[in-house]
Amino acid sequence: MRGTMMDFPLTLPTILERSGRIFPRVELVSRKPDKSIVRSCYGTFYRRARRLAAAMTKLGLQSGDRVASMMWNHIGHLEAFFGVPCAGGILHTLNLRLHPQEIAGIAKHAGDRFLLIDDVLLPVYEKFREDVSFERVIVVPYGFNSVPEGFLSYEELLTGVSAEFQYPAIDENDGASMCFTSGTTGCSKGVIYSHRALVLHSFCCGLVEVFGMSQSDTVLPVAPMFHANAWGIPFAATMLGARLVLPGPHVDPESILELMVSERVTIACGVPTVWIAILDALEKNPGRWKFDPPIRVVCGGTAPPVELIRRLDRFGLQIKHLWGMTETTPIGTSGGLRAYMSDWPDHKKYEVRAKQGWPAPFVEIRLMRPEGPGTVEGKKSCEVPWDGVTTGEIEIRGPWVAASYYESPDQAHRWTADGWFRTGDVATMDEDGYVKIVDRAKDLVKSGGEWISSVDLENALMGHPAVKEACVVGIPHPRWQERPLAAVVLKDGTQASPEELRAFLAESFARWQLPDAFVFLDAIPRTSVGKFKKIALREQFANWNWDS
Ligand code: ADP
């Protein structure tokens, strides 16, 4: 005996029990495919999640078995978030927006034994059912009231068991859930989150500089529950007793704005493209939706442009910036303004808010650069100073950072010999620990031996009054290796020429950094989680004629 504290495991059953006993009356709101609203509470959720755990155990679920889910953001999915891990299984949230063949490949790689699926998504399943071999497919009646023949009914399973359920022995380092990266820069890789990681991450979500989430909040995750567990919100909200509003498949700007007003949401989260579309709707419909007191909008996945932050402020939507990855559960850094900045001029405050913030507690970050010029793989690297100027690749470690990808030995090089994860993101850090992402290493435009940040260019472009969206990519160039091409979506009823946009950028960038080509599109292609799909643009314009 060391004579210190109890060895109390950090596992999800403790959060589930707590929600049922401490927050039974806190409401859970969820939207159905027909847009009607269903209201439940943590008390009911608690009993149903326990029943699901009992039902999965009765079906033969063994500790560590993967149970796939293909579901929208709704209460049934929340039940799965707890019911499966509390029975000792691992809930693998499948990204329903991927191509059916990709979904099948990921489910096979993960070795998923069972599938929980929304009835409305069965047509997607039909497209890949020949390529997978789930032992049982359990259909959740989300849009309709009946379950087609040949499938197990979720509701029948739940009524077929007793709510008296004994949790199996769970070690805090056992797997609880699993996500694959969204594949923005390459093929998807699997990450298994331990109970311990999810519990500690939930505490982190309560911090003011992160979500600042508590029982007095109403939280709307626009981010899908299959994208890094909707950024950990379902686990954190259940632990902290926050009221949840789950939007189902309706994530268009009007539906989200309407829900934010009618359900008096206090915290919402989503990638910048969601908020760009919402800003557009707000500006086109002055006075239609009002947010007073202001809403905390947690935004990450890519960098929100300063102009977006500034303009949303006017509507009472205050962006709080967060950087993270599927591999980091996902919170890595967050922040905003420090107390001593309160009397800084506005433009400096916005500059700070556009940074990615500082590392969350117990998350450690260092910026690394290969020694000597060039970026040769395997070369010895050294840490760069935190001076706000010198760039390096973010390496990260902490209790909710993945130690490996699931069965991907070819990816072992992403972890350093001394135990840090190589993120592939290039950033600067200043003396106060603020991180500023320059770009993903793969997205930096490599021009004549110099690097150009595509993020800085596109965010500056989105500050032009005529520009709704902008995405900058490096395109092969016979002389310079790559040169920047800017794809631009103009706001309805506005005009801007390439010359005008170049002149606008020239106010803040050196000549050699300016895009040499501008293309005007109706929409920028998106990834399955709503980020700009740079791979698609690079392919589309790969043979750009620089002489024209
Ligand atoms: P994918 O790499 O497939 O997009 P993730 O959704 O896990 O999968 O994305 C993580 C990446 O998203 C990070 O490595 C980083 O490049 C980018 N990212 C996340 N948050 C931010 C942010 N606030 N600012 C800039 N980039 C971000």
Side-chain angles (χ1 to χ4, degrees):
M1 283 291 280
R2 272 175 298 188
T4 56
M5 300 297 144
M6 293 181 184
D7 186 9
F8 194 92
L10 306 178
T11 57
L12 295 184
T14 308
I15 294 187
L16 180 60
E17 287 296 309
R18 173 184 161 82
S19 72
R21 284 159 191 246
I22 317 266
F23 304 116
R25 285 194 284 170
V26 175
E27 202 179 34
L28 296 170
V29 181
S30 132
R31 201 170 223 180
K32 287 199 157 240
D34 66 2
K35 282 203 142 184
S36 59
I37 297 282
V38 177
R39 294 181 193 278
S40 182
C41 58
Y42 279 114
T44 306
F45 149 79
Y46 158 73
R47 287 184 290 278
R48 287 175 58 85
R50 281 178 61 104
R51 278 179 181 273
L52 175 59
M56 294 310 300
T57 306
K58 196 170 160 194
L59 280 180
L61 182 86
Q62 301 283 315
S63 168
D65 281 351
R66 264 82 61 215
V67 178
S69 66
M70 221 165 103
M71 299 165 86
W72 293 107
N73 288 15
H74 64 90
I75 300 174
H77 210 171
L78 186 69
E79 289 165 6
F81 264 54
F82 282 85
V84 171
C86 290
I90 296 175
L91 183 77
H92 173 202
T93 50
L94 286 170
N95 181 342
L96 53 92
R97 293 213 184 94
L98 294 178
H99 188 278
Q101 287 317 311
E102 231 176 315
I103 302 179
I106 286 174
K108 277 205 287 205
H109 183 164
D112 297 333
R113 224 182 126 187
F114 303 96
L115 172 68
L116 284 164
I117 184 168
D118 284 340
D119 50 10
V120 289
L121 292 168
L122 280 171
V124 183
Y125 170 65
E126 291 302 335
K127 292 190 183 145
F128 67 87
R129 70 179 296 169
E130 300 299 323
D131 304 306
V132 285
S133 49
F134 299 115
E135 241 171 83
R136 299 297 185 97
V137 177
I138 303 159
V139 176
V140 180
Y142 179 44
F144 314 109
N145 286 323
S146 61
V147 169
E149 226 162 282
F151 297 102
L152 283 180
S153 152
Y154 182 78
E155 289 303 327
E156 277 175 26
L157 277 186
L158 260 55
T159 46
V161 289
S162 136
E164 295 311 309
F165 175 70
Q166 287 292 323
Y167 299 112
I170 296 174
D171 185 282
E172 63 176 17
N173 288 308
D174 286 348
S177 71
M178 179 179 203
C179 287
F180 276 66
T181 60
S182 57
T184 305
T185 57
C187 67
S188 300
K189 294 163 291 272
V191 174
I192 296 188
Y193 306 100
S194 64
H195 284 258
R196 176 185 154 85
L198 295 173
V199 169
L200 290 173
H201 188 269
S202 300
F203 277 101
C204 179
C205 290
L207 297 177
V208 171
E209 65 262 35
V210 185
F211 289 99
M213 194 192 297
S214 79
Q215 53 74 36
S216 57
D217 281 306
T218 293
V219 188
L220 169 72
V222 184
M225 288 165 85
F226 57 74
H227 184 210
N229 298 319
W231 308 1
I233 286 178
F235 298 113
T238 307
M239 184 178 94
L240 300 165
R243 182 169 171 262
L244 268 178
V245 177
L246 301 168
H250 304 289
V251 289
D252 59 285
E254 298 217 349
S255 303
I256 292 295
L257 283 161
E258 183 199 305
L259 211 51
M260 282 164 83
V261 172
S262 62
E263 297 300 329
R264 297 183 311 284
V265 167
T266 59
I267 302 176
C269 85
V271 293
T273 48
V274 166
W275 303 107
I276 290 172
I278 283 186
L279 175 64
D280 195 45
L282 287 166
E283 289 181 339
K284 280 183 183 151
N285 299 276
R288 180 159 163 205
W289 302 280
K290 292 209 179 76
F291 303 102
D292 186 21
I295 294 185
R296 270 167 284 160
V297 169
V298 181
C299 187
T302 59
V306 178
E307 199 51 26
L308 178 70
I309 304 178
R310 191 193 300 272
R311 301 230 298 270
L312 280 176
D313 269 354
R314 293 186 203 139
F315 291 96
L317 299 183
Q318 294 182 342
I319 284 201
K320 188 165 257 289
H321 193 168
L322 188 136
W323 168 85
M325 311 177 72
T326 304
E327 294 88 334
T328 63
T329 313
I331 298 166
T333 68
S334 68
L337 297 171
R338 298 266 173 99
Y340 60 81
M341 298 172 179
S342 59
D343 54 359
W344 281 19
D346 263 6
H347 73 277
K348 279 192 81 180
K349 285 189 185 167
Y350 279 112
E351 241 170 58
V352 173
R353 286 179 59 196
K355 291 184 182 176
Q356 279 70 12
W358 57 90
F362 285 88
V363 170
E364 294 184 344
I365 280 182
R366 64 183 186 187
L367 298 185
M368 302 299 283
R369 245 192 180 205
E371 275 178 335
T375 51
V376 182
E377 183 97 354
K379 204 170 181 182
K380 220 173 138 224
S381 47
C382 62
E383 203 173 339
V384 308
W386 291 14
D387 58 9
V389 181
T390 317
T391 59
E393 180 184 357
I394 300 182
E395 292 185 0
I396 189 166
R397 66 178 181 186
W400 55 79
V401 177
S404 66
Y405 289 120
Y406 179 71
E407 295 201 349
S408 302
D410 58 319
Q411 294 294 322
H413 63 277
R414 295 290 299 273
W415 283 265
T416 66
D418 60 345
W420 295 70
F421 172 64
R422 295 191 172 105
T423 63
D425 283 348
V426 176
T428 61
M429 269 178 106
D430 68 16
E431 54 277 21
D432 291 321
Y434 276 94
V435 170
K436 182 165 186 337
I437 302 281
V438 174
D439 217 331
R440 292 184 192 238
K442 287 184 180 171
D443 291 337
L444 278 165
V445 183
K446 286 98 190 167
S447 170
E450 299 285 349
W451 288 354
I452 302 173
S453 161
S454 66
V455 174
D456 283 352
L457 283 172
E458 57 206 26
N459 287 354
L461 273 171
M462 284 189 268
H464 186 282
V467 175
K468 182 174 165 199
E469 294 175 359
C471 182
V472 173
V473 289
I475 299 293
H477 188 284
R479 174 149 180 229
W480 301 109
Q481 183 187 353
E482 281 182 350
R483 286 297 297 156
L485 171 143
V488 174
V489 178
L490 293 176
K491 288 184 190 163
D492 294 346
T494 62
Q495 285 194 327
S497 64
E499 294 71 36
E500 187 183 336
L501 294 178
R502 259 177 78 85
F504 176 75
L505 288 176
E507 291 168 19
S508 357
F509 292 87
R511 254 176 76 90
W512 62 271
Q513 294 172 316
L514 300 177
D516 288 337
F518 286 83
V519 290
F520 294 90
L521 305 179
D522 292 336
I524 292 183
R526 305 277 207 265
T527 71
S528 61
V529 296
K531 302 185 187 191
F532 291 150
K533 198 171 186 177
K534 296 198 171 186
I535 290 185
L537 282 182
R538 272 196 289 266
E539 272 172 22
Q540 188 178 347
F541 298 106
N543 299 318
W544 187 261
N545 180 3
W546 293 105
D547 298 327
S548 64

